[in-house]
Every structure is written in structure tokens, then in C-alpha cells.
Amino acid sequence: MPHGTTPSRTRISPGSVPGVSTDYQQARVALGARLRELRTEAGLTVRGLAAACEWAPSKVSKLENGKQTATGADLDTWAVGVGQPHAAAELRGRLAGLESTYRSWRRQLAGGHRAVQDALGAQHERTATFRGFSASVVPGVFQTPEYARAVLGRYAMLHGVDRDIEAGVASRLRRQEGLYRPGKRYRVLIGEAALHTRICSPAVLADQLDRLMSVNGLSTVELGIIPLAADVRVAAGDDFWIHDDRLVIAESWHAEMWLDSAEDVALYGKVWDALADGAVTGRAAHRLITRARSALLPS
């Protein structure tokens, strides 16, 4: 959601959402184990703590078993309930560590679209070389205002948060200034499906494809299109951006993942290289965009 669909800070409770990262789940289970430890040290049963917190016993069980993500208020209440209010700071620290990597769209967007886009803009300023992949939507750094408005609007509907979309569009478009700065480099892969996906009106998509053809000629841009019939070494997955070799921002339906371990960055680098092997560039990429454009509206 931030980049193309684009676009990630996690706090939606992903417990009931299929496909939640194993790493996230493990971190949540570890937090739950610490909560259970505090309860048993206090000599409380699940029902006893639930009564002290004025919760249903099922909530205590879900938090302890890593099936629900605690909020900061939950952790404060837990610490008081077990008679250790000073433990709240430790518990909140554990939660902050968990959420610094997995950032839910719902809670990010609760602060508005501009805040999400500005956070990405800050990372954008720090980055010299981008390696990006978008499967079915033209990435934000190449979007026209109308296309960006359509994309943000559709995903705002999905998450039920439609405040300050215009401010979000403006913030997203400011990142495009980097396309014209010496020293920046954008190595971007786009699935051919993105050239045809009707997330907007045909007229808006036609203008977007015209824009894509124009940026394809910039010295800072290396654009690759992965044809639908391409032989690929890995199947396309979630959209992601690699910022230099220090950070990966990957996107899923429920959350955005900010991954900065050397192992994760290296893995996404391998995925990008594998996807790039199936992409066409230069004139071949231009022909695919032109073909998609001609199928929409007269020039």
C-alpha cells in the first residue's frame, strides 16, 4: 500500500489472519509465555486474573498462548492484575520490539494516510539504491496523482480508514522528486498484470501507462517488466522494496514488514535477482507497456 498498493506500523491483531509470519507468531508466543510466568508467580489462575482485569477468561488464555496480540493498555492492566505494576514497562518494551517489524495497516492508517506516507518518505530520503517489486499495481514512485488517489482510496475502503487521502497522495508524490536526483537509482520490477489491472478507470490507467513509458527513459530508472508467460525461477509473492542493503519493506494484506537483519535482506536480494531473470527491459519492456496502453483508449 505505501509503495504501490501500495505499501510497512503493525498492531492489528493478526491472530485470526491466515498467513501471519512465523517470526511474528513466535515473538507473540514468547510475549505470552512471559505473561503466563507473571500470572503463575502471582499465584493466580486464568479465571482469577480475568476477574482482576475484568476480562473474559478466554482473553487471558489467548494472550498467554500467542493467539491474540496484546495492546499497551492490556499489558498495563495485566501488570496491575498480577500485583507488579512496575512490570508494565518491560512488557511494553517487548511489544514495541514485536511491532517495530510488523506494522498493521489498520493501526497505521488510524493516524491517517499522510503519516504512513511520510514515514516511508523518511526512509526514501536515506536510500540511494532501490530494488523493488510490484506484482499487480504500478509502484507509488511512478504513479500519477489520479492513479495514486484510486489506489489509496481502494485500500482505504478495505481497511475502513478514509481520512486524509489527499494528504497521503501529496506525500507519496513528493517521493518522486528522487527520480530526478543524481545519485539515486531505482531498479524496479513490475508484473505485466500491473499494466492491465483495473484498480482505476480505463482513462486513469491509460494516463498512468503513458507516465510509466516516460519514466522508463530516465537515467535513474532501470525498469523491468515480468511477462505473464515468462519462465521464472521463483513465483511472484508479496510486493517489497530493498533500501540499499540495510532494510526491506515488504507488504501483505494485514501488515507491513520492516526487516533489517542481514539474513532477511540477503534473502530478499536473492528473490529480486531471481525475479529479474524473468523480466524484460528497455525496448522490450516499452513494447509491453505500449501494447497494454493501446488496448485501453485511443491516444
Side-chain angles (χ1 to χ4, degrees), residues 235-295:
D238 293 334
D239 295 358
F240 65 88
W241 286 79
I242 305 172
H243 294 245
D244 295 323
D245 287 316
R246 63 179 174 80
L247 174 69
V248 173
I249 301 179
E251 302 169 7
S252 69
W253 287 112
H254 77 286
E256 184 181 64
M257 284 70 75
W258 289 42
L259 310 170
D260 58 6
S261 74
E263 181 180 7
D264 286 335
V265 173
L267 174 62
Y268 275 86
K270 289 174 64 176
V271 171
W272 192 94
D273 289 341
L275 290 169
D277 282 348
V280 297
T281 60
R283 292 183 179 179
H286 192 87
R287 282 194 294 270
L288 287 178
I289 302 170
T290 301
R291 186 170 65 190
R293 171 66 174 82
S294 64

Side-chain angles (χ1 to χ4, degrees), residues 19-36:
V20 173
S21 160
T22 299
D23 289 341
Y24 183 94
Q25 180 60 26
Q26 289 175 346
R28 194 166 57 182
V29 167
L31 175 58
R34 177 58 178 147
L35 294 175
R36 184 185 302 109

Side-chain angles (χ1 to χ4, degrees), residues 167-237:
V169 170
S171 179
R172 172 173 287 192
L173 295 180
R174 280 195 294 273
R175 295 207 300 273
Q176 297 182 7
E177 296 172 3
L179 295 171
Y180 308 97
R181 291 181 189 167
K184 292 279 191 183
R185 189 180 183 196
Y186 297 82
R187 305 180 66 193
V188 183
L189 304 173
I190 303 175
E192 185 181 358
L195 309 180
H196 301 272
T197 299
R198 301 289 182 89
I199 199 167
C200 56
S201 70
V204 169
L205 182 55
D207 288 343
Q208 177 60 70
L209 295 179
D210 289 341
R211 165 68 173 163
L212 194 58
M213 283 189 278
S214 69
V215 299
N216 192 27
L218 295 176
S219 61
T220 56
V221 174
E222 297 177 23
L223 178 63
I225 307 292
I226 304 172
L228 291 172
D231 292 327
V232 294
R233 291 199 283 124
V234 295

